[in-house]
Amino acid sequence: MEREERKQIEALPKIELHLHLEGCVTSRTLRTLCEKNHQRLPPHLQDGEAHQFGTFAEFVYSYHRICQAIVHEQDLALVIADVAAYLKRNNILYAELSWTPFLYLNKGFRFDAAMEVMNEALVIHHIAERVNFIIDVQRDHGLESGSYVYQHVFAARKDLH
């Protein structure tokens, strides 16, 4: 593909129907979170350069480290800032943003507080009307984890947009 064609395609408006919250975290934000929350930065991300994953195991390890670096509900505001930059950079008009509360509820997060932080950040970055959240329930954690997340989500639903 020629450069001009590529630029035209990149400029087209898009939608993203399968975007993971943690998948938008930049190396810079991950470094900030690791430093702030005293977490270990994955060795293959320490050089600060964009990284192509060599194996699925390396990808899963990186995803796990990102989740570990998010320690406080307020940390999610930094992640949403990366989401906003991703949407703007790629001319994405609408995105369905998937996240897994189970991981964070187990750390002591309050679901309603986490959603409040993320919704406020969406407003601050002028993308609230362009993003809807998908609550992911991990099947590999069993029925009990699904029920646990369900209870938290539906207890908070009256306060959610």
Side-chain angles (χ1 to χ4, degrees):
M1 180 181 307
E2 291 186 34
R3 186 178 182 143
E4 190 57 38
E5 286 177 316
R6 183 176 181 87
K7 287 174 79 173
Q8 289 175 352
I9 290 170
E10 288 173 349
L12 290 172
K14 301 165 199 69
I15 61 170
E16 180 109 27
L17 298 178
H18 191 101
L19 183 62
H20 288 266
L21 177 71
E22 298 86 355
C24 288
V25 173
T26 63
S27 295
R28 175 183 283 182
T29 297
L30 179 57
R31 248 188 308 291
T32 298
L33 289 169
C34 285
E35 193 173 298
K36 173 183 170 288
N37 295 323
H38 310 290
Q39 298 291 317
R40 221 175 51 244
L41 188 64
H44 61 280
L45 298 176
Q46 290 179 358
D47 63 7
E49 299 297 319
H51 182 76
Q52 297 291 334
F53 298 105
T55 66
F56 184 68
E58 186 180 64
F59 166 78
V60 170
Y61 173 73
S62 298
Y63 174 82
H64 177 72
R65 295 305 311 147
I66 291 167
C67 293
Q68 293 301 311
I70 300 169
V71 174
H72 309 284
E73 287 103 344
Q74 197 58 44
D75 294 340
L76 294 167
L78 292 173
V79 178
I80 294 295
D82 283 352
V83 170
Y86 175 83
L87 296 182
K88 291 172 185 172
R89 184 173 60 251
N90 290 288
N91 199 21
I92 296 173
L93 303 180
Y94 172 77
E96 292 185 354
L97 188 60
S98 179
W99 76 292
T100 308
F102 179 73
L103 303 171
Y104 303 104
L105 293 171
N106 282 339
K107 293 184 195 187
F109 279 34
R110 287 185 15 247
F111 180 81
D112 58 337
M115 288 303 302
E116 184 177 334
V117 165
M118 290 192 292
N119 281 318
E120 286 176 5
L122 292 174
V123 170
I124 289 167
H125 293 285
H126 310 288
I127 59 170
E129 70 287 346
R130 295 168 50 188
V131 174
N132 280 310
F133 290 100
I134 297 175
I135 305 303
D136 179 33
V137 178
Q138 292 178 293
R139 292 175 285 183
D140 59 332
H141 284 91
L143 185 59
E144 295 78 22
S145 72
S147 294
Y148 178 67
V149 171
Y150 173 87
Q151 291 168 5
H152 286 276
V153 170
F154 283 90
R157 73 177 175 203
K158 63 185 173 296
D159 299 325
L160 302 177
H161 306 1

